Amino acid sequence: MQGFWSDKRVTVTGGAGFLGQHLVKRLEGLGAKVFVPRQRDYNLTTLEACLRCLLEHPCDMLFHTAAYYGGIGINVAEPAKLYYSNLVMGANLMEAARLAKVNKFVAIGTACSYPGYLEGNLKEEDLWAGPCHASVVNYGLTKKMMAVQAQAYKRQYGLDSIHLILTNLYGPGDSYNPDRSHVVAALVRKWVEAELGKAPSLEVWGTGKPIREFIYVEDCADAIVLAAEKYDDATMPLNIGTGIGTSIRELVETINSVTGYAGQVVWNVDKPDGAAKKVLDVTRMTQALDGWIAPTDLASGLAKTIAWYRANKAQADTKW
Ligand code: GDP
């Protein structure tokens, strides 16, 4: 097989993590030679380890998917750890990438970087149009600094990079720990456990009104690979999402229909709602990726995720 990825040397930080493992699988399937640095060998919060990693394993392209992140709960509980680990990792890795002369740095960003109080779907040109939502500022802002660094490094050092802004992911291999998980994984676990325990009711956080966008993790990995190949504007981030908004209440209804759970859903309004709406505009993405749109609809993605979680529950529950 000869193609863009054949024999390309690629390093994926976070390659054993949720998104990273799907990305590695996809890249290897396309013929790339993938290296995944493990934390025990390379502590990427230090410049020394970042540089050592890239010199010991030279690569043409570096995907920085490693992140310390999670749902609304961890943003309340661990703002300082989110801030420090993500800011330092991003800054050091990009500095190491230019010192090691990596050809292209693919930064994985987040929709939490967007202003948290805008109307409508989020467009790349609005990235700086207001403050991040208070519930996610420590994660969102530090990821956004990678976009600033990328522009500076392009101008001064000529480092090629792209910054991809990802919406909420879900799927196999996610964190199903309730202290860390995002809403889909949290609800999948609650629903499956309610079924197993024949619970008459279960609890969901907030009012159910917030609107979110959910992309199946394998679709997201495909889009990242395409963007790495086709997109090269270091000065303009690119959204990666479905462009489809779903309220938490609709998400609950979809999980009910996929699982057949008929118990009562109790809304705990003492828990935070977070941003009222977080949905990406995917117009530029579709153009840049030659018409690509995420193929997996929410009900099908949830069915695959729930089937995976049922089959792998014991192992999934031990993961932080
Ligand atoms: P966000 O997208 O950064 O706000 O992060 P989350 O995925 O954690 O939360 C999205 C929305 O789902 C928020 O409005 C939460 O209140 C709501 N939600 C409902 N139930 C849960 C739950 O059990 N866990 C989490 N993490 N969120 C929940």
Side-chain angles (χ1 to χ4, degrees), residues 246-305:
T246 303
S247 71
I248 302 303
R249 200 167 280 279
E250 288 167 323
L251 173 67
V252 161
E253 285 162 11
T254 313
I255 298 180
N256 266 340
S257 66
V258 171
T259 58
Y261 179 72
Q264 196 196 352
V265 174
V266 178
W267 296 88
N268 181 352
V269 293
D270 293 333
K271 291 285 189 181
D273 262 347
K277 182 173 174 186
K278 202 160 50 176
V279 180
L280 301 178
D281 182 301
V282 293
T283 311
R284 288 186 67 254
M285 175 198 83
T286 309
Q287 281 163 3
L289 308 187
D290 295 342
W292 186 89
I293 50 169
T296 310
D297 66 48
L298 184 59
S300 320
L302 284 172
K304 287 199 237 185
T305 304

Side-chain angles (χ1 to χ4, degrees), residues 146-255:
M146 282 198 302
V148 177
Q149 191 177 359
Q151 292 198 26
Y153 275 50
K154 177 70 182 167
R155 199 174 310 135
Q156 188 172 344
Y157 302 128
L159 178 70
D160 284 325
S161 69
I162 56 171
H163 185 97
L164 304 177
I165 300 186
L166 271 45
T167 195
N168 292 26
L169 309 177
Y170 70 97
D174 203 349
S175 166
Y176 288 84
N177 183 310
D179 292 328
R180 186 179 181 199
S181 50
H182 279 279
V183 61
V184 174
L187 299 193
V188 164
R189 180 167 178 168
K190 285 181 191 181
W191 256 249
V192 170
E193 290 185 346
E195 267 177 350
L196 290 171
K198 303 200 183 344
S201 67
L202 48 71
E203 184 191 287
V204 179
W205 297 355
T207 62
K209 290 183 191 153
I211 313 262
R212 293 289 180 276
E213 176 191 19
F214 304 108
I215 189 166
Y216 188 62
V217 64
E218 289 178 5
D219 292 355
C220 188
D222 285 355
I224 292 170
V225 170
L226 268 181
E229 183 181 339
K230 294 178 184 298
Y231 191 67
D232 56 15
D233 188 348
T235 64
M236 181 56 100
L238 187 69
N239 287 343
I240 302 288
T242 64
I244 299 168
T246 303
S247 71
I248 302 303
R249 200 167 280 279
E250 288 167 323
L251 173 67
V252 161
E253 285 162 11
T254 313
I255 298 180

Side-chain angles (χ1 to χ4, degrees), residues 11-197:
T11 291
V12 180
T13 72
F18 172 41
L19 170 63
Q21 60 185 280
H22 293 282
L23 188 59
V24 167
K25 205 165 131 193
R26 182 86 183 115
L27 288 164
E28 285 180 342
L30 290 166
K33 292 191 174 133
V34 182
F35 174 69
V36 174
R38 302 308 300 259
Q39 208 173 359
R40 60 179 175 267
D41 304 317
Y42 304 100
N43 172 0
L44 299 178
T45 60
T46 72
L47 178 59
E48 178 279 324
C50 290
L51 192 53
R52 188 163 44 82
C53 170
L54 297 178
L55 293 177
E56 288 175 358
H57 301 274
C59 63
D60 305 306
M61 211 182 282
L62 173 61
F63 290 79
H64 179 34
T65 79
Y68 190 64
Y69 70 98
I72 208 161
I74 203 176
N75 278 277
V76 174
E78 298 190 57
K81 188 168 176 188
L82 287 171
Y83 176 86
Y84 181 75
S85 50
N86 292 307
L87 187 73
V88 171
M89 235 186 324
N92 283 333
L93 206 59
M94 204 177 292
E95 170 69 0
R98 71 102 184 167
L99 290 170
K101 304 201 181 335
V102 169
N103 292 345
K104 189 170 185 177
F105 186 104
V106 180
I108 301 301
T110 169
C112 297
S113 294
Y114 270 108
Y117 308 92
L118 293 180
E119 303 277 319
N121 290 4
L122 300 161
K123 293 190 171 73
E124 289 88 345
E125 55 267 33
D126 292 335
L127 190 59
W128 296 96
C132 294
H133 195 271
S135 63
V136 292
V137 63
N138 297 289
Y139 180 60
L141 206 50
T142 53
K143 283 284 185 178
K144 197 160 157 174
M145 291 312 287
M146 282 198 302
V148 177
Q149 191 177 359
Q151 292 198 26
Y153 275 50
K154 177 70 182 167
R155 199 174 310 135
Q156 188 172 344
Y157 302 128
L159 178 70
D160 284 325
S161 69
I162 56 171
H163 185 97
L164 304 177
I165 300 186
L166 271 45
T167 195
N168 292 26
L169 309 177
Y170 70 97
D174 203 349
S175 166
Y176 288 84
N177 183 310
D179 292 328
R180 186 179 181 199
S181 50
H182 279 279
V183 61
V184 174
L187 299 193
V188 164
R189 180 167 178 168
K190 285 181 191 181
W191 256 249
V192 170
E193 290 185 346
E195 267 177 350
L196 290 171

